[in-house]
Amino acid sequence: MSHTFQAPVLERHITQLFTAAGSSATEAQQVAANLVMANLSGHDSHGVGMLPRYAEAFLEGGLKANAHISTKMDSGAMLSLDGQAGFGQVIGHEAMEVGIARAKEHGSCVMALGNSHHLCRIGAWAEMAVAQNLISVHFVNAYSRPIVAPFGGGDARFGTNPFTVGIPVAGKDPILLDFATSIIAQGKTRVAHNKREQLPAGMLIDDKGHPTTDPVYGVKPPYGALCTFGGHKGFGLALVCELLGGALAGGLTTSTPADGKKRILNGMLTIIIDPAKLSDMTLFGGEMNAFLDWVKASPPGPGFDHVRVAGEPEREYRAERLANGVPVDENTWQDMLLAAQKLNVDAKEMQRLAGI
């Protein structure tokens, strides 16, 4: 069974919950809009299904309402910021606003952000940059329960460690490359488990280190571990994200066993570049468009209707879900209602707000 919500209805529902948790009206709406946009973009793993985890983190004290960035170091084109364990939807937005302004001023900016609660879909921050005709590159680590195994290893040692790049394209939609270095995001195990579906082979190992297709090993103890994409290649990129996003930017790496806490702290190293100050934009834009046209002109292979470049699937999802609604499976919905009760919001009121 699944519920389908129009995006504004779902956003209103989530805003109510975070307001009840103590967030300001502005913060609650910002968090809700970000989560719903993840669902609209087809990334249900980073959408409203995160609510139960956020509620637990908030009640434990690992997620702070109404926190804002603080500056640790500022040398103009280089910044080090602390997120003070605030909502990543707010912290990420504030950090990118500062980084974008500096890149416009200096031509580039290297920004280190640490101690932010879950930054959610990192592509949202790259979208902020490309909207200002800037390029951004993001290396991210996650300080929480280890959930990904190193290539050749038999248990979890680090997080999903996303890598993201945003590139504006003259006259066309931007390139938005945004992926976890694990073969799937951890939240996709939760989505599969809630839908009572199995995962494809090769994505997950169980608590004994053996291959499994049962998503329960990514959701409930005894935990297994996700695999990195592309074997040693994904592992290598995950390692780089941990060292740059974690050790360098965030000052915190996954180097101890899980402590049982629900908070998710992200570190992110972001490089923002103004291409207009680095390159002949006529040449850059012309070469980009020529290359993209060449690539997309490739005849579709079996099972495909055309070649899609990074960012295109998300835009297709948004168009479809804005028109037809956002699906939320019954188990995820029940988890959300339980989270509402923990935040002292009556489940019947939440169902009423959602039109159920």
Side-chain angles (χ1 to χ4, degrees):
M1 179 180 176
S2 178
H3 302 282
T4 301
F5 301 98
Q6 291 300 310
V9 173
L10 195 56
E11 192 172 317
R12 185 168 67 247
H13 163 70
I14 302 302
T15 299
Q16 173 88 2
L17 287 176
F18 288 120
T19 302
S23 288
S24 68
T26 299
E27 176 172 90
Q29 196 281 326
Q30 196 168 349
V31 174
N34 178 278
L35 292 175
V36 172
M37 180 56 74
N39 286 101
L40 285 172
S41 303
H43 295 289
D44 295 334
S45 56
H46 288 64
V48 297
M50 290 298 303
L51 175 62
R53 183 73 179 266
Y54 285 12
E56 294 285 353
F58 174 77
L59 293 171
E60 286 180 351
L63 168 58
K64 309 294 185 182
N66 305 310
H68 300 280
I69 57 171
S70 66
T71 302
K72 296 163 58 180
M73 186 279 290
D74 183 350
S75 65
M78 296 188 76
L79 293 163
S80 179
L81 306 173
D82 188 294
Q84 303 192 93
F87 278 100
Q89 288 80 1
V90 173
I91 300 302
H93 191 272
E94 291 179 348
M96 286 301 296
E97 283 187 323
V98 175
I100 285 168
R102 295 302 174 85
K104 287 183 174 181
E105 179 182 357
H106 299 286
S108 65
C109 178
V110 178
M111 181 178 68
L113 173 63
N115 194 32
S116 170
H117 198 262
H118 189 231
L119 285 164
C120 200
R121 187 178 64 91
I122 307 303
W125 314 129
E127 286 170 347
M128 285 184 66
V130 298
Q132 299 295 319
N133 294 314
L134 301 173
I135 296 167
S136 69
V137 183
H138 308 259
F139 301 88
V140 185
N141 91 316
Y143 184 74
S144 187
R145 174 177 65 83
I147 55 177
V148 184
F151 179 68
D155 68 356
R157 294 284 157 160
F158 47 85
T160 56
N161 292 13
F163 175 72
T164 301
V165 180
I167 305 173
V169 180
K172 294 183 179 178
D173 290 321
I175 298 297
L176 260 300
L177 178 68
D178 180 23
F179 59 83
T181 49
S182 53
I183 196 165
I184 55 170
Q186 192 274 339
K188 293 188 186 298
T189 64
R190 183 193 72 245
V191 172
H193 178 70
N194 285 346
K195 290 182 175 181
R196 302 295 187 261
E197 297 174 351
Q198 295 289 295
L199 293 170
M203 292 186 171
L204 191 67
I205 57 175
D206 64 19
D207 59 314
K208 301 295 192 300
H210 300 142
T212 181
T213 61
D214 191 340
V216 71
Y217 288 102
V219 180
K220 297 180 179 180
Y223 293 111
L226 291 169
C227 302
T228 55
F229 82 89
H232 68 283
K233 296 180 181 179
F235 172 43
L237 187 52
L239 199 71
V240 168
C241 288
E242 189 75 28
L243 298 179
L244 297 183
L248 179 62
L252 198 62
T253 62
T254 305
S255 55
T256 58
D259 58 13
K261 295 181 179 179
K262 298 297 184 182
R263 51 92 180 95
I264 308 169
L265 295 177
N266 286 140
M268 180 169 72
L269 181 70
T270 298
I271 302 167
I272 306 173
I273 301 167
D274 184 350
K277 294 185 178 180
L278 183 67
S279 172
D280 179 331
M281 289 305 291
T282 301
L283 177 62
F284 179 50
E287 286 299 314
M288 273 199 298
N289 277 293
F291 174 70
L292 292 172
D293 289 344
W294 165 254
V295 168
K296 289 182 65 64
S298 177
F304 294 90
D305 56 359
H306 70 280
V307 172
R308 289 170 172 80
V309 297
E312 193 172 347
E314 287 84 352
R315 290 188 287 269
E316 290 178 353
Y317 265 110
R318 286 180 200 176
E320 190 276 326
R321 289 186 169 186
L322 280 171
N324 300 317
V326 176
V328 178
D329 66 85
E330 177 62 21
N331 288 312
T332 296
W333 176 245
Q334 291 302 320
D335 288 344
M336 291 168 63
L337 292 180
L338 181 59
Q341 291 178 316
K342 290 180 179 179
L343 296 174
N344 296 317
V345 176
D346 184 75
K348 290 182 180 179
E349 173 65 9
M350 298 317 302
Q351 288 182 312
R352 185 191 68 77
L353 282 171
I356 295 177

